[in-house]
Amino acid sequence: MSRFAILDTPIVDLKIIERQQLGDSRGFLSRLFCAEELAAAGWRKPIAQINHTFTQKSGTVRGMHFQQPPHCEMKLVTCLRGAIWDVAVDLRAGSPTFLQWHAEELSAANRRALLIPEGFAHGFQTIHDDCELLYLHTAFYTPEAEAGLNPNDSKLSISWPLDIAELSSRDAQHPLLDHQFKGMML
């Protein structure tokens, strides 16, 4: 019996994962990850790293982060507490959805996750205070491969649901896209 529903988004390979919750009077069980079941959604590598984040203030934006080849990573992002507007931008050179973005509300209540393939930038905005996220990664964090897009870039036109209340100086300093950006060759 599958514990996941795998839903397509308008961007090829970017998937929404809905978790089945089994519960009774004691509480519930929800499977967070199963390599065998998520292979159907494109997850084919081992988990290299698991990160847990806490963001205190509603309206905070974190992102839009990615790692450059050959250190690209697939991510499975889950909101454990609160709610976020989770955004992925297609950076794959030659993709028919190149530089298009898709967002999903992820929350503790809806038990959805976003499975973000290699070649995407990722970020989120908290839409409640005190949000906690769990990230599963297929590649180790490699500082020299780290890159990002500016969350306010007009070429992306990301529709953040709230005014941006807080943004790190690092994220605010990511460059704006120009005509020279051709994407990532995977």
Side-chain angles (χ1 to χ4, degrees):
M1 168 167 82
S2 179
R3 300 284 177 93
F4 305 103
I6 299 168
L7 308 173
D8 292 327
T9 69
I11 299 178
V12 175
D13 299 326
L14 180 66
K15 305 290 184 185
I16 301 164
I17 308 299
E18 288 186 342
R19 295 183 173 99
Q20 179 185 4
Q21 192 174 40
L22 303 175
D24 59 24
S25 62
R26 300 167 297 164
F28 70 87
L29 173 123
S30 178
R31 182 164 293 153
L32 291 178
F33 181 83
C34 176
E36 182 178 42
E37 289 185 57
L38 291 177
W43 192 284
R44 292 186 179 81
K45 294 181 179 179
I47 295 171
Q49 195 167 296
I50 300 172
N51 292 312
H52 177 218
T53 65
F54 171 77
T55 306
Q56 190 169 13
K57 187 176 180 181
S58 176
T60 299
V61 169
R62 291 181 181 253
M64 302 294 299
H65 306 143
F66 60 96
Q67 290 199 149
Q68 297 176 354
H71 303 285
C72 294
E73 61 188 344
M74 179 175 263
K75 295 179 186 178
L76 183 65
V77 181
T78 302
C79 184
L80 300 174
R81 181 167 60 150
I84 64 165
W85 182 249
D86 206 41
V87 180
V89 178
D90 188 351
L91 301 179
R92 299 171 296 180
S95 170
T97 53
F98 178 63
L99 294 184
Q100 291 181 24
W101 61 271
H102 179 79
E104 289 290 326
E105 181 176 323
L106 306 181
S107 70
N110 72 17
R111 297 178 307 283
R112 283 185 154 195
L114 198 59
L115 193 146
I116 303 165
E118 293 177 356
F120 280 68
H122 169 257
F124 67 89
Q125 183 176 48
T126 55
I127 51 180
H128 290 132
D129 289 342
D130 301 328
C131 291
E132 291 188 64
L133 275 64
L134 188 71
Y135 293 75
L136 282 62
H137 303 259
T138 58
F140 296 105
Y141 171 68
T142 306
E144 59 273 12
E146 177 184 53
L149 303 177
N150 191 303
N152 288 314
D153 195 324
S154 62
K155 284 190 169 65
L156 296 174
S157 297
I158 297 171
S159 297
W160 299 109
L162 303 173
D163 290 336
I164 296 177
E166 196 166 329
L167 181 66
S168 74
S169 60
R170 181 186 115 202
D171 289 346
Q173 292 176 23
H174 287 307
L176 300 175
L177 291 171
D178 62 24
H179 66 282
Q180 294 178 21
F181 183 75
K182 303 296 184 204
M184 287 194 277
M185 298 297 295
L186 300 179

